[in-house]
Amino acid sequence: MNTLESYPPILRHLSHPHHHSPDGGDPIQESDPDPLPVIDLQRLSHDMNMQNVLEEACKHWGLFRLVNHGVPSTLLTQLQDQAKQLFSLSFESKQASCNGANPVTYFWGTPALTSSGAPLTTAPQNINWVEGFNMPLLQLSQFQPQLPQLHSLRDSVVEYGEHLSRIGRRLFEAMVKNLDLNIEASSSYVAESTGIMRIYRYPKCSNSNLGLGMEVHTDSSVLSILNQENEVSGLELLKDNQWLTVKPVSNTLIVNLGDMMQAISDDKYKSVTHRVKLNSERERISLCYFVFPNEDLQIQSSNYRPFTYKQFRAKVQQDIKTVGHKVGLPRFQHTPHSQN
């Protein structure tokens, strides 16, 4: 299989993407050693110092590196290898494997998907250099793919999803404790039924400044948990108005806070702004788990009108279609009228 033929046609011929809107940050800053906060999940429940590190990471970074997370390193490696095998297939076979009523969908050119996994837009001016598979975890065990490569990956993702559901709950409970929130059913805020896994591939590009693998954005989730390839960087976060590379480190996970966590915390915690740059030498594969509140759970916050995630998602999708980009939480902020 020619590597080029494995990519969607629009990514094969996209040599001069439309100029992206300003990213709001200064040129990338490289730093060594890795400056990211590091959270040890095993110590989090009983170590006050680790709880303080988590608090600072959530307030000032919105992102941290997770170690001692309990996911076998063999599973992390296996997921990467299986994803590579799946993405190496022809574009046509990948597209055909997710036709019809399948819960797993195949997308390209945009990370903005409907609740069913269909792309919201593939307008040329908004092309992102990415292809991926969207896997809702609740429906995954019933999915019977025809492609052997997709079948193998499905089995691994089901196992992986159980680990990440556990991790998401533990992290959220620790955050709720730090925030001193009166939340009884914390599982409703990181609902297992909402868990989604997205597997991404970003092509290499000799001129990595031609476009972005994924445009500047915040996640709509409560938490997002990323497994990125050990040797290929690309994820960048906006910190103090500068772009900072999130370096791949073996057997660690990257956790970032999303819009729902910022609202739940009453803006004490931040939903991190991030993007994905293309690598000039190698393609990049990453797997990201997203978890949300139950759709009809009302988010109560002094800074925002009461809303559900279902309402938030609908507004985001409407904005992408009408104004061309996500607006997000500002749509739900109190106005002077609503505060009276």
Side-chain angles (χ1 to χ4, degrees):
M1 163 62 60
N2 184 313
T3 302
L4 195 62
E5 293 175 0
S6 71
Y7 282 103
I10 198 167
L11 299 186
R12 299 176 204 170
H13 309 296
L14 196 61
S15 58
H16 297 290
H18 187 277
H19 183 263
H20 282 262
S21 59
D23 56 29
D26 293 332
I28 188 75
Q29 298 294 309
E30 297 288 352
S31 59
D32 192 37
D34 181 24
L36 295 187
V38 177
I39 302 301
D40 186 324
L41 190 62
Q42 290 184 3
R43 292 171 50 195
L44 192 57
S45 60
H46 62 272
D47 187 329
M48 183 59 70
N49 180 61
M50 188 55 58
Q51 292 175 13
N52 292 336
V53 174
L54 177 65
E55 176 80 351
E56 292 301 303
C58 293
K59 283 183 175 179
H60 303 297
W61 288 79
L63 181 148
F64 53 85
R65 194 179 299 282
L66 191 68
V67 300
N68 289 328
H69 43 65
V71 183
S73 59
T74 50
L75 180 57
L76 295 176
T77 302
Q78 180 175 291
L79 284 161
Q80 289 282 347
D81 291 343
Q82 291 173 337
K84 286 179 186 175
Q85 293 173 23
L86 178 59
F87 280 122
S88 69
L89 300 176
S90 70
F91 164 70
E92 289 76 16
S93 63
K94 288 179 288 189
Q95 187 178 32
S97 70
C98 297
N99 278 345
N102 289 332
V104 174
T105 54
Y106 174 58
F107 62 92
W108 60 91
T110 176
L113 308 179
T114 66
S115 56
S116 64
L120 274 170
T121 177
T122 52
Q125 66 268 29
N126 293 322
I127 286 295
N128 291 242
W129 285 43
V130 64
E131 64 171 322
F133 288 88
N134 182 74
M135 299 183 170
L137 295 176
L138 187 65
Q139 302 164 267
L140 205 51
S141 58
Q142 284 77 46
F143 176 50
Q144 298 298 326
Q146 299 302 309
L147 289 175
Q149 296 86 346
L150 187 53
H151 198 286
S152 299
L153 181 61
R154 182 211 65 176
D155 292 345
S156 298
V157 167
V158 168
E159 179 184 354
Y160 185 50
E162 293 172 355
H163 284 287
L164 295 193
S165 179
R166 164 186 59 84
I167 292 170
R169 287 194 305 271
R170 287 189 63 184
L171 289 173
F172 182 74
E173 288 167 2
M175 293 174 190
V176 167
K177 182 179 179 181
N178 279 342
L179 290 164
D180 197 26
L181 295 178
N182 184 23
I183 290 179
E184 294 181 1
S186 61
S187 60
S188 299
Y189 289 81
V190 281
E192 190 171 353
S193 61
T194 69
I196 294 173
M197 187 73 65
R198 287 189 183 159
I199 296 94
Y200 302 107
R201 180 170 73 155
Y202 304 93
K204 68 177 181 180
C205 180
S206 56
N207 184 352
S208 59
N209 293 318
L210 281 178
L212 290 172
M214 197 172 291
E215 62 197 1
V216 178
H217 68 287
T218 61
D219 291 346
S220 296
S221 58
V222 177
L223 299 172
S224 306
I225 305 175
L226 180 72
N227 166 13
Q228 60 176 351
E229 199 167 25
N230 288 349
E231 300 175 3
V232 185
S233 62
L235 176 62
E236 298 174 356
L237 69 98
L238 190 62
K239 179 77 167 72
D240 301 327
N241 205 43
Q242 292 184 330
W243 289 106
L244 184 69
T245 298
V246 179
K247 298 179 180 179
V249 176
S250 179
N251 202 29
T252 69
L253 298 172
I254 297 297
V255 180
N256 71 264
L257 278 57
D259 300 334
M260 295 301 97
M261 191 65 231
Q262 179 170 327
I264 292 166
S265 73
D266 230 355
D267 291 345
K268 294 181 179 70
Y269 292 174
K270 65 180 292 185
S271 178
V272 65
T273 299
H274 55 290
R275 67 183 184 184
V276 177
K277 291 274 284 183
L278 298 174
N279 191 287
S280 61
E281 297 179 357
R282 294 176 59 183
E283 68 180 23
R284 176 176 178 266
I285 290 175
S286 66
L287 298 89
C288 196
Y289 167 83
F290 302 89
V291 66
F292 305 87
N294 281 330
E295 282 195 346
D296 296 320
L297 178 72
Q298 194 167 80
I299 305 298
Q300 301 280 357
S301 168
S302 63
N303 291 336
Y304 303 96
R305 303 189 307 276
F307 67 91
T308 64
Y309 174 65
K310 186 176 183 180
Q311 292 170 327
F312 182 87
R313 182 180 63 201
K315 180 61 70 175
V316 167
Q317 294 181 0
Q318 180 184 358
D319 284 337
I320 290 173
K321 291 178 179 178
T322 56
V323 302
H325 61 86
K326 170 184 170 180
V327 178
L329 284 175
R331 289 290 192 204
F332 295 88
Q333 284 178 329
H334 282 299
T335 64
H337 281 298
S338 64
Q339 290 177 320
N340 293 335

